[in-house]
Amino acid sequence: MKVIIDKKAGFCFGVRRAIDLIISELEKGKIVYTLGPLIHNPQEVNRLKSLGVKVLDKLNGRIEGVIVIRTHGISPQDYEDLRKKASVIIDGTCPLVKRSHFVAEKLRAEGYRIIIIGDKNHPEVIALKGYAGPNAIIIKDKNELENFSIGGKIGVIAQTTLSKETVQDILSYLTTKIIELKYYNTLCGITLNQKKSALQLAKQVNKLIVVGGYNSSNTTKLAEICKEVQPNTYLIESHKDLQSTWFKPDDTVGVTAGASTPTWVIEQVIQELENISRYFTRNQITVP
Amino acid sequence: MKVIIDKKAGFCFGVRRAIDLIISELEKGKIVYTLGPLIHNPQEVNRLKSLGVKVLDKLNGRIEGVIVIRTHGISPQDYEDLRKKASVIIDGTCPLVKRSHFVAEKLRAEGYRIIIIGDKNHPEVIALKGYAGPNAIIIKDKNELENFSIGGKIGVIAQTTLSKETVQDILSYLTTKIIELKYYNTLCGITLNQKKSALQLAKQVNKLIVVGGYNSSNTTKLAEICKEVQPNTYLIESHKDLQSTWFKPDDTVGVTAGASTPTWVIEQVIQELENISRYFTRNQITVP
């Protein structure tokens, strides 16, 4: 059995930056809190918990210690609330997500009606909506625009992890409806490259393992698009989810992961795949 | 033979406005000049000549009289030249084209690199380029963009008579290459509606007559897109171009025209088609 690893798989710089900020505070002996889990990956969240990080569901009273804003960012309203209750705030918002906040504020100040392309339940989009203002619309596809009367000056921003195609489709529709359109490209190049790289790998192998949190929209989407080109795609959260019955000795197995999947989790998966491969060799299992 | 007339065919408000401006000056007894033919329609240009309008190829010396800027507009450089040489200037630029000049100036002032989508030899685009500045790029399709390194802040304006599809195609391509995109929708709603209406008629009939100047890009494009759905499409400039051998007694013939085609030219064509129809009836010509 041959295992090919996607070189672009795993943590992006935004996630790595947020984790580094946390570790640095822990090393100073501080008590570190995050509001909600730092990233959508239970293994890494558990590892951070074991190092002392406390995950808060919401802010009730005052927090003594350091509170780290997670990569998805928070709305200006939530930031104000945080300022009142927390003694030290460290902003772990992904710099690309932060840029989308700046452009939302700019579009709003310039009088554009803002359309956010994204998932209205995703924390990144909820925070962005806070900057875009109460008149902003959140849509996932162009059909939803039929519910709104669109015209005049429209500003468009997308959730950073969306596909180019989703954004192109909506912009294309909008250009015929509006008088003026201002679009800031906030799509994350790393996510786009990861998708491209994963798709290339998916075509090259006959089984594909996508590693990542089941609650990560980024990873589940990655698995979905890979499944379109490689039907034998398995989404797993850790090496414990691997089943040896999925594989045959002459398989070429690809391993990829989303931007919120830690390297150590990917390495455990690779290790386990190598164990399965060795088992095949040891027992001289050949193709039936 | 049945003749169906496209209700949306013929002069748009921009052309009608320019002609009204000229007629009003002629009625005041003024000598009226145009720089280049007012519109791309030789019949109407000849009619205006017969009323006293003089067409200048270029400005040499000083002009005593009224000079009317044609619907396509002129560049700011040409306007300055005109100011020095003409005693009275009347601006016949189509108000929608004039808006594209304003937005080009705005985009330029805001630091956008401007992409003009259009035909670089069309007078409207030549004038618009004057407002967009020396760094502006003129392209007709997205493949031409491969010759340029595109990125950063991009402003996009299109020639008013283009199709939605051409613009959508280029914008869609651009959204993946840039950081920020500002697009002003300058497409002429009348032209778009004329295309839609002409295409509907083309499907309804078995012969289609498109009336307009052979040098009008608007009309020739209209004939091209109609030919795709109705292969029996004939582009003619006047009723004199109609040939009775094109038709059969049981034909349903549609008549349409571009925005630069005068109503009186269309009416002459309809009259001639009715003559042909009457000839079939009189001579009891039936389908062979």
Side-chain angles (χ1 to χ4, degrees), chain A residues 125-141:
Chain A
V125 174
I126 294 168
L128 181 58
K129 172 85 164 69
Y131 287 91
N135 295 325
I137 298 166
I138 303 170
I139 56 154
K140 254 178 127 170
D141 68 65

Side-chain angles (χ1 to χ4, degrees), chain A residues 24-282:
Chain A
S24 144
E25 292 303 310
L26 289 172
E27 281 172 357
K28 286 182 215 161
K30 300 284 171 67
I31 302 167
V32 178
Y33 296 88
T34 64
L35 196 56
L38 182 81
I39 50 169
H40 286 153
N41 185 277
Q43 284 81 9
E44 183 64 14
V45 170
N46 282 335
R47 187 183 74 95
L48 291 172
K49 273 184 191 169
S50 75
L51 295 175
V53 174
K54 294 175 204 310
V55 178
L56 299 172
D57 280 340
K58 55 177 176 178
L59 283 179
N60 290 316
R62 194 165 165 79
I63 301 289
E64 290 308 329
V66 172
I67 188 147
V68 176
I69 298 172
R70 56 185 179 165
T71 50
H72 310 112
I74 57 172
S75 70
Q77 299 78 12
D78 285 347
Y79 190 81
E80 274 313 299
D81 191 38
L82 208 58
R83 274 188 55 183
K84 285 176 201 146
K85 292 175 180 163
S87 47
V88 184
I89 301 169
I90 287 189
D91 196 349
T93 309
C94 162
L96 290 180
V97 172
K98 201 66 223 163
R99 181 174 167 263
S100 78
H101 299 172
F102 290 135
V103 300
E105 279 181 323
K106 197 164 182 281
L107 286 173
R108 192 178 170 184
E110 289 172 353
Y112 289 91
R113 185 175 188 193
I114 298 177
I115 294 178
I116 297 172
I117 308 176
D119 173 359
K120 66 178 188 295
N121 301 314
H122 194 283
E124 180 190 325
V125 174
I126 294 168
L128 181 58
K129 172 85 164 69
Y131 287 91
N135 295 325
I137 298 166
I138 303 170
I139 56 154
K140 254 178 127 170
D141 68 65
K142 67 177 178 200
N143 300 328
E144 290 176 66
L145 281 173
E146 283 167 18
N147 304 327
F148 301 99
S149 121
I150 296 293
K153 285 175 71 173
I154 296 288
V156 180
I157 318 169
Q159 186 178 342
T160 55
T161 49
L162 289 192
S163 74
K164 289 191 295 187
E165 292 74 18
T166 305
V167 177
Q168 284 176 317
D169 197 35
I170 292 170
L171 285 178
S172 199
Y173 176 85
L174 276 174
T175 52
T176 65
K177 304 284 172 192
I178 49 80
I179 290 173
E180 185 184 330
L181 180 114
K182 197 166 179 181
Y183 165 68
Y184 285 97
N185 186 355
T186 55
L187 294 188
C188 165
I190 298 168
T191 312
L192 295 178
N193 278 335
Q194 280 190 335
K195 275 179 203 160
K196 213 166 147 183
S197 177
L199 280 172
Q200 262 171 0
L201 182 61
K203 283 175 200 157
Q204 217 180 315
V205 298
N206 69 322
K207 303 262 157 82
L208 185 72
I209 307 295
V210 181
V211 192
Y214 295 142
N215 60 345
S216 155
S217 85
N218 181 8
T219 309
T220 47
K221 263 182 214 154
L222 188 69
E224 271 168 32
I225 60 163
C226 286
K227 213 175 173 82
E228 282 171 26
V229 296
Q230 177 48 264
N232 300 318
T233 292
Y234 301 89
L235 172 61
I236 61 166
E237 209 163 76
S238 92
H239 66 288
K240 290 174 193 157
D241 303 323
L242 280 175
Q243 291 174 30
S244 59
T245 52
W246 292 348
F247 307 101
K248 287 184 176 165
D250 65 339
D251 273 348
T252 303
V253 182
V255 179
T256 188
S260 58
T261 310
T263 314
W264 62 271
V265 172
I266 302 171
E267 275 163 7
Q268 284 180 337
V269 169
I270 296 163
Q271 192 57 52
E272 184 61 24
L273 282 170
E274 279 168 2
N275 290 344
I276 295 171
S277 179
R278 265 195 294 276
Y279 170 83
F280 285 144
T281 315
R282 244 191 344 262

Side-chain angles (χ1 to χ4, degrees), chain B:
Chain B
M1 195 170 88
K2 202 179 157 192
V3 179
I4 304 177
I5 301 141
D6 185 353
K7 285 192 184 74
K8 302 222 188 256
F11 273 2
C12 60
F13 88 97
V15 170
R16 211 176 294 124
R17 176 179 168 276
I19 291 171
D20 287 351
L21 287 171
I22 289 177
I23 301 293
S24 145
E25 292 304 308
L26 288 172
E27 281 173 355
K28 287 182 213 159
K30 302 282 170 67
I31 301 167
V32 178
Y33 295 88
T34 64
L35 196 57
L38 182 79
I39 50 171
H40 286 155
N41 185 278
Q43 286 80 9
E44 184 63 15
V45 169
N46 283 334
R47 187 183 75 95
L48 291 171
K49 274 184 191 166
S50 75
L51 294 174
V53 174
K54 294 175 205 308
V55 179
L56 299 172
D57 278 340
K58 55 178 176 175
L59 283 178
N60 290 317
R62 194 166 165 78
I63 300 290
E64 292 306 328
V66 172
I67 188 147
V68 176
I69 297 172
R70 57 187 180 163
T71 50
H72 310 113
I74 57 173
S75 71
Q77 298 78 10
D78 285 347
Y79 190 82
E80 274 314 299
D81 190 39
L82 208 58
R83 274 188 54 183
K84 284 176 202 146
K85 291 176 181 164
S87 47
V88 185
I89 302 169
I90 288 189
D91 194 350
T93 308
C94 162
L96 291 180
V97 172
K98 201 66 220 163
R99 182 173 166 264
S100 78
H101 299 172
F102 289 135
V103 300
E105 279 181 322
K106 197 164 182 285
L107 286 173
R108 192 177 171 185
E110 289 171 352
Y112 290 91
R113 185 173 188 195
I114 299 177
I115 295 178
I116 297 172
I117 309 176
D119 173 359
K120 65 178 190 295
N121 300 314
H122 193 282
E124 181 190 325
V125 174
I126 295 168
L128 180 59
K129 173 84 165 68
Y131 287 92
N135 295 326
I137 299 165
I138 303 171
I139 56 154
K140 251 177 130 170
D141 67 66
K142 66 178 179 200
N143 301 328
E144 289 176 66
L145 281 173
E146 283 167 18
N147 304 327
F148 303 99
S149 119
I150 296 293
K153 284 175 72 173
I154 296 288
V156 179
I157 319 169
Q159 185 178 341
T160 56
T161 49
L162 289 192
S163 74
K164 288 191 295 187
E165 292 73 18
T166 305
V167 177
Q168 282 177 318
D169 197 36
I170 292 170
L171 285 178
S172 200
Y173 176 85
L174 277 174
T175 53
T176 65
K177 305 282 171 194
I178 50 80
I179 291 173
E180 185 184 329
L181 179 115
K182 197 165 178 183
Y183 165 68
Y184 284 98
N185 186 354
T186 53
L187 295 187
C188 165
I190 298 167
T191 312
L192 295 178
N193 277 335
Q194 280 189 335
K195 275 179 203 160
K196 211 166 149 183
S197 176
L199 280 172
Q200 262 171 0
L201 182 61
K203 284 174 199 158
Q204 219 181 314
V205 298
N206 68 323
K207 304 264 158 79
L208 184 72
I209 306 297
V210 180
V211 192
Y214 294 141
N215 59 344
S216 155
S217 85
N218 181 8
T219 309
T220 46
K221 264 183 213 153
L222 188 69
E224 270 169 32
I225 60 163
C226 285
K227 212 173 175 82
E228 282 171 25
V229 296
Q230 178 49 262
N232 299 317
T233 292
Y234 301 89
L235 173 61
I236 61 166
E237 210 162 79
S238 92
H239 67 288
K240 290 174 194 157
D241 303 323
L242 281 175
Q243 291 175 31
S244 59
T245 52
W246 293 347
F247 306 102
K248 287 185 176 167
D250 64 341
D251 274 348
T252 302
V253 182
V255 179
T256 188
S260 58
T261 311
T263 315
W264 62 270
V265 173
I266 303 170
E267 275 163 7
Q268 283 180 337
V269 169
I270 296 164
Q271 191 60 50
E272 184 61 23
L273 282 171
E274 279 168 2
N275 289 343
I276 295 170
S277 178
R278 265 195 295 274
Y279 170 82
F280 285 144
T281 316
R282 240 190 350 257
N283 295 280
Q284 287 185 304
I285 292 169
T286 51
V287 193

